[in-house]
Amino acid sequence: MKHIIIALALLAFTPSLATGQSKKVRKQNTTQVAKDTLNIDNLRKKAEAGDSNAQNTLGVCYYTGNKVAKDYETALKWWSVAAKASHAEAIANMALCYQLGHGTKRDSVMAVKLYKQSIKRGNKALVTERENRLKENVNLFDACFMADIFEEGTVVPQDLNKAVKYHIMAGNAGSKASFVKAANIYEKDKNYPQAFKLYAQAASSEVEASYKCGEYQYKGIGTAVNKAEAAKYLKVAAKHQIPNAQIMLGDLYFKGEGVEKSVEKALKLYKLAALKDNPVAMWNVGLIYIDGADDVKEDLQRGLYWMAKASEKGMKQNFNKKLNEVNGGENDGWKDTDFYEYVKGMVNLYGNDKKVEEAFGIFGKLEKKGLTLGTTMKALCFTDKDWKKADDKKAVNLLTKASNGNDPSACYELALRYEKGIGVKADKDKALRLIQKAADKGYAMAFCHLGMLYNEGKMVDKNITKAIENFLKAMQEGYLSPQAANILSQCYSQGLGGLRKDPEMAKAVLTKAVKTDPVMILVKDLNIE
């Protein structure tokens, strides 16, 4: 630090030294001459009269204690005055104060900003001086600063080779983030082996580096494919909520590559990424529910819901193609599958060209195949008041049958009827049991409904903690009603129900509110052959 002060003091007293004089001139006792000849009273008069050079020099006097008592605050004051006149060296001297916390609070961001301003004002000697000093002794601040300006290319011509050099220098001095920055430059230049080496050096403390190491070893970029090692890195990145890491790790669990196969773990990871509005993750969640696999049961209703969410995010064309593509050979479409028939029934029941009778027939065929969802959907046909066969009692009978068959949507729909007395005598206790049963099976709307009951103290004792638990579960399942979102947002804002105050999360929760069922949007404009 002493070396920095001396260098800047010389810069301020004798500006010619900033351009790099010969070694012979440097040996002259320039600072002694300045000390002997300096008249502090005359200097102060010039400074007070508005002479920016004098203001800068007076600041150096106070900073170094030359002919006045050392006073960092007064030094900074005079440099600030000179800086208003765009005095380049004074701006750099101000930066030094912010860098070291002399006369003001330490602020590296402000220091960098001021150093850049100084260079823009013509203080090119500052760059040369910093480069020369780094050759003698590595200083983390200087290395980061030099890497930044050469990569940015706004105050000096861009030089990515120098940027990489100084980023690596800073990395070796302790800044793992600098290794990542150097790796990013190599990556953009498609020098993947070098990028991987640097990411690996930073992976122990930098999340981005962990993700990149996982991605490179997952795909074989710049290094050999190693799914087991990739999984180790991706687990770290996934815990830090990086969607792409969650998706790749989910793929590994789904296929059982590098980790023990678990479709359930894959599903959880995909859902976490889906919460970040990642359409690929939404699509993967939908696929798992549609096909069913290992420890995850087939659920066509949930599958369509997640596919509808993915379609909202730009994958509608993909959905249409797969829906109308035959399964077999090189194709893995849904044409003529149970899912295809379910979607076709939904289009007939809720689409723009409503055909309830046809929908009822389609759902009846699914019911005969043993799909309880077919029974539930037949019941919902009976609730359509535009259908000449509408019948609330028949709807209740079918929903009762389906709920006994453990269809969560049937449990929830039946609960609503017991709660409101539609087609059956109102029974709050039975409604509550059915809502809880649907929630136990992971039905998102049931989570929301249960959360609202706990929040309002209806049918259950008021319990804001349980309300929050249910709202969070609903959000993880991809559905959060606007009312639930508002309440959960307030809880984050105020730190209620065991949550810590989190203004950012309070805002994020509001964006998760589902105002219109995405399935209804999809089926109203769906091309199905």
Side-chain angles (χ1 to χ4, degrees):
M1 290 302 98
K2 181 180 180 182
H3 183 62
I4 297 173
I5 293 168
I6 292 172
L8 286 176
L10 288 172
L11 183 64
F13 276 114
T14 55
S16 61
L17 291 177
T19 58
Q21 293 182 351
S22 67
K23 290 183 180 179
K24 182 177 180 180
V25 176
R26 285 183 182 275
K27 290 180 181 179
Q28 295 177 4
N29 198 1
T30 311
T31 51
Q32 188 62 47
V33 173
K35 271 191 174 185
D36 293 343
T37 60
L38 182 67
N39 186 311
I40 200 72
D41 291 329
N42 288 338
L43 185 64
R44 192 185 305 278
K45 288 178 182 178
K46 289 182 179 179
E48 290 174 347
D51 186 323
S52 61
N53 285 323
Q55 292 163 350
N56 180 56
T57 303
L58 187 57
V60 173
C61 290
Y62 276 107
Y63 192 91
T64 58
N66 178 22
K67 294 196 174 184
V68 290
K70 184 181 289 189
D71 187 335
Y72 291 141
E73 290 185 11
T74 302
L76 181 58
K77 184 195 79 172
W78 281 112
W79 285 334
S80 298
V81 173
K84 289 178 181 178
S86 298
H87 195 287
E89 286 78 16
I91 295 172
N93 289 337
M94 282 181 67
L96 179 67
C97 289
Y98 280 102
Q99 179 186 340
L100 303 179
H102 288 170
T104 185
K105 185 177 179 180
R106 187 190 295 265
D107 188 337
S108 295
V109 174
M110 178 58 77
V112 168
K113 180 180 178 180
L114 289 169
Y115 280 134
K116 287 180 179 179
Q117 284 185 15
S118 178
I119 297 169
K120 279 185 177 179
R121 296 294 181 185
N123 190 4
K124 305 299 182 183
L126 177 62
V127 177
T128 303
E129 183 263 333
R130 291 294 165 109
E131 287 198 283
N132 289 336
R133 189 160 68 236
L134 282 171
K135 291 176 184 177
E136 299 173 9
N137 185 36
V138 176
N139 172 275
L140 182 57
F141 180 92
D142 284 348
C144 288
F145 176 67
M146 297 305 290
D148 180 38
I149 61 173
F150 280 115
E151 182 175 1
E152 193 178 72
T154 56
V155 297
V156 294
Q158 187 182 57
D159 189 329
L160 294 181
N161 289 327
K162 282 190 175 182
V164 167
K165 169 187 171 183
Y166 290 121
H167 277 316
I168 293 174
M169 190 180 289
N172 290 328
S175 173
K176 299 296 184 184
S178 295
F179 281 139
V180 176
K181 291 178 180 179
N184 288 162
I185 294 174
Y186 276 128
E187 186 176 69
K188 289 177 183 176
D189 195 39
K190 297 183 179 180
N191 188 341
Y192 300 119
Q194 285 298 326
F196 177 72
K197 287 179 183 178
L198 289 167
Y199 283 135
Q201 285 184 262
S204 61
S205 60
E206 293 295 318
V207 176
E208 182 186 347
S210 294
Y211 163 63
K212 287 294 184 178
C213 283
E215 180 188 28
Y216 276 37
Q217 291 184 101
Y218 178 92
K219 298 177 179 178
I221 301 173
T223 185
V225 171
N226 189 327
K227 298 293 177 71
E229 284 299 310
K232 292 178 183 178
Y233 287 113
L234 291 172
K235 284 177 182 178
V236 174
K239 284 181 181 179
H240 285 82
Q241 307 303 315
I242 296 179
N244 285 346
Q246 292 166 336
I247 292 172
M248 278 188 275
L249 185 58
D251 290 345
L252 293 177
Y253 275 114
F254 186 82
K255 299 171 185 175
E257 296 179 342
V259 292
E260 186 178 351
K261 185 175 181 178
S262 173
V263 177
E264 186 177 13
K265 286 183 178 180
L267 182 61
K268 288 179 180 178
L269 286 160
Y270 291 146
K271 283 183 179 179
L272 288 173
L275 280 175
K276 300 290 192 303
D277 292 331
N278 187 294
V280 173
M282 294 172 181
W283 179 271
N284 289 348
V285 173
L287 282 180
I288 289 176
Y289 279 126
I290 291 167
D291 296 332
D294 297 341
D295 41 4
V296 178
K297 291 182 179 180
E298 176 188 276
D299 190 328
L300 302 185
Q301 187 180 51
R302 277 189 185 177
L304 178 57
Y305 180 78
W306 282 102
M307 285 296 175
K309 287 179 74 68
S311 294
E312 279 189 323
K313 298 297 179 181
M315 300 192 73
K316 186 175 179 180
Q317 187 174 350
N318 303 66
F319 181 77
N320 272 322
K321 183 176 183 295
K322 192 169 174 66
L323 186 65
N324 292 296
E325 194 172 75
V326 176
N327 192 307
E330 297 181 355
N331 299 322
D332 60 350
W334 293 311
K335 186 74 178 287
D336 299 328
T337 64
D338 289 343
F339 179 68
Y340 177 86
E341 293 301 319
Y342 169 60
V343 175
K344 191 173 181 179
M346 291 292 288
V347 171
N348 279 294
L349 181 58
Y350 297 114
N352 290 323
D353 185 17
K354 186 184 290 189
K355 299 174 183 176
V356 183
E357 190 75 37
E358 289 186 23
F360 188 83
I362 292 170
F363 295 136
K365 290 178 182 178
L366 292 176
E367 182 184 35
K368 288 178 180 179
K369 284 187 174 184
L371 272 69
T372 311
L373 179 59
T375 308
T376 303
M377 296 312 301
K378 279 175 61 179
L380 293 182
C381 287
F382 278 121
T383 65
D384 191 315
K385 300 304 181 185
D386 294 329
W387 191 33
K388 60 182 180 181
K389 294 182 182 180
D391 189 321
D392 287 328
K393 289 186 177 180
K394 286 185 178 181
V396 168
N397 289 335
L398 286 170
L399 288 172
T400 301
K401 179 182 176 182
S403 65
N404 291 335
N406 291 322
D407 179 39
S409 61
C411 295
Y412 184 66
E413 291 293 340
L414 187 57
L416 295 181
R417 280 149 184 80
Y418 274 110
E419 186 178 12
K420 300 173 184 176
I422 301 173
V424 68
K425 185 179 178 180
D427 187 331
K428 302 291 185 182
D429 290 336
K430 186 169 283 189
L432 181 60
R433 287 197 299 271
L434 285 164
I435 293 170
Q436 185 64 63
K437 183 177 179 180
D440 290 342
K441 293 184 176 300
Y443 196 62
M445 289 186 179
F447 284 132
C448 259
H449 198 137
L450 204 52
M452 293 300 295
L453 293 179
Y454 277 116
N455 180 68
E456 297 168 4
K458 291 182 179 179
M459 297 163 59
V460 291
D461 293 334
K462 187 179 179 70
N463 188 323
I464 190 64
T465 300
K466 286 189 176 181
I468 291 169
E469 288 175 1
N470 280 284
F471 290 150
L472 290 174
K473 288 177 181 177
M475 187 166 66
Q476 289 168 358
E477 292 299 325
Y479 175 83
L480 197 62
S481 69
Q483 298 91 333
N486 284 328
I487 294 167
L488 188 56
S489 177
Q490 290 172 18
C491 290
Y492 274 111
S493 293
Q494 300 172 35
L496 302 177
L499 295 176
R500 64 180 180 84
K501 286 186 178 181
D502 190 337
E504 291 303 313
M505 190 60 182
K507 292 179 183 177
V509 164
L510 292 175
T511 67
K512 303 303 176 186
V514 178
K515 297 177 182 177
T516 305
D517 186 345
V519 173
M520 295 299 104
I521 296 173
L522 180 63
V523 299
K524 286 183 182 300
D525 186 31
L526 193 60
N527 298 317
I528 187 164
E529 296 173 3

